[in-house]
Amino acid sequence: MENEGRRHAGEQGSAVAWVESPLQLLCVVEAHHAGVLGPSTRVVPRAGLPALRMTRRELKRLGLPEGLEFAEPSDRMPRPSRTWAVGDAFSGRVQLALATAQPGRTILVDDGLATIRLLELLVARRPLLRARARATPGRVLLGAAAAVRLRTRKPTVFTALPVPDDLAEAVRSRGARLVRHDFAWLRSQPADRPPDERTVVLGTSLVRNGLIHRDRYLRWLERLEEPVAYYPHRREDPRDLDRVRRIEGLTVYDAGVPAEMTLRDLRPDQRVLSLPSTAVTSLRVLLSARGVSVESVDVPDDWWTASAGPSLRSHLQIFAHDPSANAPRKVAP
């Protein structure tokens, strides 16, 4: 993995980071550890998010890298400073700050597959709009202004995702810096004992988001026919989880923190199954050296709802196929 952070000592200074998800928080810690943010980083978590609170507590338990501190959660995004780190560049608050403030450096950390869409839009010189967002005139105007300001600032993108070569080349040709990481800080931390079950299934947000049919997904879980450790997605509907808990042979481990943190010490004889998600890619980064198989499950056509158009389906499955492994797992009929 390429890690350019330590080469840029001249850019170091005090940094402030605004995080709105557990993955963003973990990636800010990794960016600080890699030297991308400088020697001093203050992290402001968004208030009112239980999963973010639990992740913050677990990271503090492990012991934060020197020079990094967590501020109290806040409903207000901190004003950009000399070095400013954010994850969700599609957020209205972040875009307003991009359009009106003047941070010295802007660091974009991973926010799931949305990171790839962000890079595609920046390269194509299009407004920054979420894949499923309503393109109202106001949002388009703000997204366009934020895109222009972000491109002119030549941001650093700190990611564990395997950005396609042509996209990475286009991003760099426009002056942005692309820094790859492999969760070096997290891999150096002691891990809790992994679950006893051989097969681990990652929960999904696709049901709650109305993109796949609930009954198809639950039926697949029922047909696994082996002991399963199930790690819920943080946005799964509690009513769906109640039904999952009633499936024979399946044990729900409601850790409440990113799968990258809870599953980083799986044994070589264990495997991970998941519908398409960012966690599939990041767990491959973390677990490949341990010999753990991380398998993405192809979503059958009849699982998708009318809300999941062809372009969205393609985007969601962009990293389903692991080029270093065999063909992705198919759902049994």
Side-chain angles (χ1 to χ4, degrees):
M1 292 283 179
E2 183 182 12
N3 190 332
E4 302 173 358
R6 304 291 180 189
R7 305 178 194 173
H8 298 270
E11 296 179 352
Q12 292 183 351
S14 178
V16 62
W18 167 249
V19 295
E20 301 178 85
S21 77
L23 180 60
Q24 292 176 30
L25 179 56
L26 174 59
C27 289
V28 164
V29 174
E30 292 288 350
H32 177 88
H33 172 76
V36 173
L37 299 179
S40 174
T41 303
R42 182 172 63 94
V43 184
V44 182
R46 182 176 173 179
L49 302 176
L52 196 53
R53 182 176 64 249
M54 295 176 69
T55 303
R56 188 174 80 250
R57 184 167 61 234
E58 176 63 14
L59 289 169
K60 291 178 70 173
R61 185 184 71 84
L62 292 174
L64 298 176
E66 183 179 355
L68 183 141
E69 64 174 5
F70 291 155
E72 287 299 310
S74 175
D75 288 323
R76 299 183 62 183
M77 188 181 69
R79 185 172 180 80
S81 65
R82 177 179 174 185
T83 299
W84 186 50
V86 292
D88 185 6
F90 295 109
S91 161
R93 282 188 283 187
V94 171
Q95 291 186 355
L96 185 60
L98 282 169
T100 59
Q102 290 287 347
R105 297 171 58 226
T106 300
I107 315 296
L108 302 175
V109 299
D110 269 336
D111 188 37
L113 294 181
T115 302
I116 300 300
R117 176 172 174 81
L118 173 67
L119 296 180
E120 292 172 341
L121 294 176
L122 287 174
V123 166
R125 299 183 179 277
R126 293 170 55 194
L128 303 185
L129 293 173
R130 298 187 196 277
R132 300 177 66 207
R134 288 184 57 202
T136 63
R139 288 298 297 169
V140 171
L141 183 62
L142 181 59
V148 170
R149 296 298 294 273
L150 194 54
R151 282 194 296 268
T152 58
R153 287 173 187 169
K154 298 180 172 53
T156 295
V157 182
F158 185 79
T159 180
L161 296 175
V163 181
D165 290 342
D166 56 345
L167 179 58
E169 182 179 353
V171 169
R172 292 190 175 103
S173 71
R174 285 157 175 77
R177 210 167 99 229
L178 199 59
V179 181
R180 291 287 308 284
H181 75 95
D182 60 358
F183 296 99
W185 176 83
L186 183 60
R187 288 188 291 106
S188 71
Q189 304 304 308
D192 294 332
R193 176 181 172 179
D196 293 330
E197 292 85 355
R198 184 183 80 92
T199 294
V200 174
V201 172
L202 302 184
T204 181
S205 64
L206 297 179
V207 174
R208 187 165 194 173
N209 289 343
L211 300 177
I212 64 172
H213 293 288
R214 177 178 289 102
D215 59 336
R216 267 72 154 194
Y217 178 65
L218 293 173
R219 192 176 304 130
W220 170 66
L221 292 177
E222 293 169 349
R223 292 178 176 177
L224 289 176
E225 297 180 348
E226 62 178 304
V228 168
Y230 187 87
Y231 284 78
H233 190 280
R234 62 188 175 90
R235 291 201 298 270
E236 278 189 76
D237 191 313
R239 293 169 296 182
D240 290 339
L241 276 180
D242 286 341
R243 295 179 63 180
V244 171
R245 288 189 175 92
R246 294 198 293 269
I247 296 175
E248 185 176 355
L250 188 150
T251 302
V252 175
Y253 292 80
D254 201 353
V257 298
E260 294 83 356
M261 297 178 66
T262 56
L263 300 176
R264 66 184 186 275
D265 204 32
L266 290 181
R267 304 182 304 271
D269 63 321
Q270 293 180 292
R271 65 171 182 166
V272 178
L273 300 181
S274 175
L275 299 191
S277 73
T278 307
V280 169
T281 301
S282 53
L283 285 174
R284 284 173 182 157
V285 171
L286 276 165
L287 299 174
S288 60
R290 302 180 63 86
V292 178
S293 174
V294 181
E295 306 173 31
S296 181
V297 177
D298 276 348
V299 179
D301 290 341
D302 66 342
W303 282 31
W304 296 109
T305 69
S307 298
S311 61
L312 180 61
R313 298 181 193 184
S314 176
H315 178 71
L316 288 172
Q317 301 196 100
I318 187 172
F319 294 129
H321 296 214
D322 182 359
S324 65
N326 297 323
R329 180 186 176 89
K330 301 286 186 179
V331 172

